Amino acid sequence: EKQQHGKEFLFYALAILVLLTGMFKAFYSRYFNTIFRVYFNTSLRQNQLTDLLIQAKLPSLIFNILFFITGGIYSWLILSYYHWTKEGLGFMFIPIAFLALAFIYIGKYCVIKFLGWISGTSEAADSYIFIVFLINKIIGILLIPFIILLAFSPKSWQGSIILMSLSMLGLLFLSRYLRSYDLIKQKLVIGRLHFLLYIIAIEILPILIITKTMINMLI
């Protein structure tokens, strides 16, 4: 029997992903456009744009799931490029990465909501959660071209594509923390050092621990 080693599965998976993204944009075009308008607006405290995103529960859930899917595929492509996945695991890593991302952000959501409730700062906690998931939605959309390039570009291009994609992610995560701090300090008396300690304890360490655990299990 002929052994096939093509990328047919990946091609159809990405075709479905692009089709679904296009459908989401068509059905929720106002929400899709508002995501970027709110991000590029320097005043996130404002007006009806933010209220529109907060009230649209179903589109928010859909674009959060899109982030988890694209994040899972992107993680698999990165690990496959560096040969960090266990041989024979193949595409099974994608749902594992999807579930890991979902676990991280659902856990983060619950922890921040609980801390906001117990400390009486629910409004600041909700503002921070809004910014986190707003930028996650943007990441989920912007990762799609990089995923397509990583999947089908020549091997010699992939290192540069990974570098560009990681640079984009770094800038978006940095903007997330800067915008979060600017917004939260208007509602809470919080210093830069305390905010930095929070970022390390709640944002960075859990991700590093989960990533290390997954790598030990899968390599």
Side-chain angles (χ1 to χ4, degrees):
E1 183 178 357
K2 180 180 178 181
Q3 299 296 319
Q4 297 184 358
H5 300 286
K7 295 183 177 181
E8 289 82 4
F9 175 84
L10 188 57
F11 172 81
Y12 289 114
L14 294 183
I16 292 172
L17 176 63
V18 173
L19 176 62
L20 290 176
T21 304
M23 292 174 62
F24 296 155
K25 184 181 184 303
F27 293 147
Y28 304 109
S29 58
R30 187 181 179 191
Y31 184 90
F32 185 93
N33 296 329
T34 304
I35 290 173
F36 292 93
R37 290 176 63 190
V38 170
Y39 176 76
F40 288 110
N41 193 318
T42 56
S43 175
L44 278 176
R45 315 179 261 138
Q46 93 256 16
N47 55 52
Q48 299 130 3
L49 290 179
T50 300
D51 294 337
L52 173 65
L53 294 183
I54 293 174
Q55 294 169 7
K57 302 297 184 183
L58 180 59
S60 177
L61 175 63
I62 288 173
F63 282 96
N64 282 328
I65 293 175
L66 179 66
F67 163 72
F68 297 146
I69 294 173
T70 55
I73 298 174
Y74 177 77
S75 301
W76 174 75
L77 290 170
I78 294 289
L79 294 179
S80 297
Y81 174 79
Y82 290 107
H83 305 290
W84 287 350
T85 54
K86 186 180 293 184
E87 188 175 353
L89 187 64
F91 296 108
M92 286 302 297
F93 178 82
I94 296 176
I96 295 173
F98 170 89
L99 293 174
L101 276 175
F103 175 78
I104 289 171
Y105 280 96
I106 292 173
K108 182 181 298 185
Y109 174 86
C110 294
V111 168
I112 295 172
K113 290 289 284 187
F114 176 74
L115 292 176
W117 171 74
I118 203 170
S119 62
T121 57
S122 296
E123 186 179 356
D126 290 340
S127 298
Y128 180 72
I129 290 172
F130 172 77
I131 295 173
V132 168
F133 285 93
L134 171 70
I135 295 182
N136 282 355
K137 294 179 182 73
I138 293 173
I139 290 173
I141 296 168
L142 296 183
L143 275 181
I144 294 175
F146 289 105
I147 289 173
I148 295 172
L149 289 173
L150 280 175
F152 301 109
S153 64
K155 195 78 172 178
S156 58
W157 293 12
Q158 293 181 4
S160 299
I161 295 169
I162 290 173
L163 181 60
M164 288 189 292
S165 63
L166 291 177
S167 299
M168 180 202 71
L169 290 176
L171 290 174
L172 286 171
F173 279 117
L174 179 62
S175 71
R176 185 171 92 178
Y177 300 135
L178 293 176
R179 294 168 78 93
S180 300
Y181 179 74
D182 288 340
L183 185 61
I184 290 174
K185 75 177 182 180
Q186 297 169 5
K187 302 178 180 180
L188 296 175
V189 180
I190 182 171
R192 290 186 175 87
L193 177 61
H194 296 94
F195 188 70
L196 178 62
L197 292 175
Y198 160 80
I199 294 298
I200 294 173
I202 303 297
E203 297 274 353
I204 298 175
L205 286 180
I207 292 177
L208 291 178
I209 292 170
I210 292 174
T211 302
K212 180 65 175 176
T213 302
M214 288 182 60
I215 289 175
N216 289 338
M217 292 174 57
L218 299 176
I219 293 180

